[in-house]
Structures are given as structure tokens and as C-alpha cells.
Amino acid sequence: IGNLNEAFRDKECPDNVIFKGVLSDEAKFEVYRQAALAINPMFSGSGTNVKVIEYAGVGLPVVSTEFGMRGLDPLKPCVEMADGNNFSDKINEVMDKKFIDKCEISRRARELVKDNFDKKVITTKLKKILINE
């Protein structure tokens, strides 16, 4: 999902890799409902990867790099961390986990999103900062 498909235009990809391009929120969440896993293979760039919050919020297991989790420390216990050398191995590990284990990780991740990244939580923290409490 997103505009990364252009970077792979001249590359051969496996048949099970489908580039959807930029999607509406409704279409994006339909893709999430069909997905078994979300990946965040970030090795450079700037900002926080808000998509990881979305992935965890909808209950997808996530494999990410440490770099891709910057600013998202509360979610790290529920994300499988990988680097460039073991990313595919980590994907396989997550996919091989028992369904019940994946459900428990997903449940915890959704709770962490609610407790740390919900609009009300963020607004309350911002309000305290702005009024110097």
C-alpha cells in the first residue's frame, strides 16, 4: 500500500507480492482485513511510521526494523524486531506461530495503541505540555 510500487517497477517480485498503490482509508482497511502480517522494513527516512500504529490497531502481527519503530517504544513488546540480515526469517517465525499466540500478541498491541496513541490520550498529553502541568 502506498507509492512504493514505482521503486519496484523494473524488479521481479514473487507472485504473492501485490502492489496496491495509494488507497482510500476504506480500501486500505479492507486490505488489512485480508492480510496475515504487516511488515515495516524501514532502514532510513524521517518521522514516525504511523502505519505501524494502524497495523497494530487493526490487530495485524508486525515485523519491523528497530529504525522503523522510532517513536513507537510502547509498541515494541508486540512487534517482532528484525534487521536486514534476518527480516525474512522473522516473517517466517511470525507466520509459524500458533494462531492463539498471534491473537494474544494482536490483542496486546491493540490495547497498547488504545492506551498510548488514541486521540484522547495524545490530546490530554499535549494539553498538559501546553499549559505546563
Side-chain angles (χ1 to χ4, degrees):
I1 298 175
N3 60 3
L4 67 107
N5 53 325
E6 292 301 316
F8 292 89
R9 180 176 295 245
D10 297 326
K11 306 225 189 282
E12 193 171 324
C13 293
D15 291 338
N16 64 344
V17 174
I18 301 167
F19 296 97
K20 295 287 192 175
V22 178
L23 300 176
S24 67
D25 284 343
E26 183 178 296
K28 181 171 45 173
F29 285 101
E30 181 57 34
V31 170
Y32 291 166
R33 281 190 284 278
Q34 297 173 23
L37 172 75
I39 60 171
N40 187 39
M42 297 297 298
F43 297 96
S44 65
S46 62
T48 300
N49 288 203
V50 176
K51 61 184 165 255
V52 174
I53 298 170
E54 281 187 359
Y55 301 154
V58 298
L60 282 172
V62 179
V63 176
S64 180
T65 59
E66 184 74 34
F67 184 85
M69 292 300 294
R70 65 204 182 287
L72 301 173
D73 289 347
L75 283 177
K76 283 184 178 180
C78 296
V79 172
E80 194 69 42
M81 304 303 284
D83 59 37
N85 297 319
N86 70 347
F87 209 91
S88 62
D89 293 336
K90 290 294 182 179
I91 290 170
N92 289 329
E93 283 179 31
V94 172
M95 294 305 292
D96 288 343
K97 285 186 180 185
K98 292 180 182 175
F99 179 75
I100 192 76
D101 294 335
K102 285 192 255 187
C103 288
E104 178 58 22
I105 292 168
S106 296
R107 184 194 62 74
R108 284 182 35 224
R110 285 192 306 273
E111 285 179 11
L112 289 169
V113 167
K114 181 181 170 191
D115 293 346
N116 293 278
F117 301 104
D118 181 80
K119 288 179 187 176
K120 289 182 181 179
V121 172
I122 292 171
T123 303
T124 300
K125 288 179 183 178
L126 180 60
K127 183 179 174 184
K128 287 181 180 182
I129 292 168
L130 292 175
I131 60 173
N132 296 318
E133 281 188 359

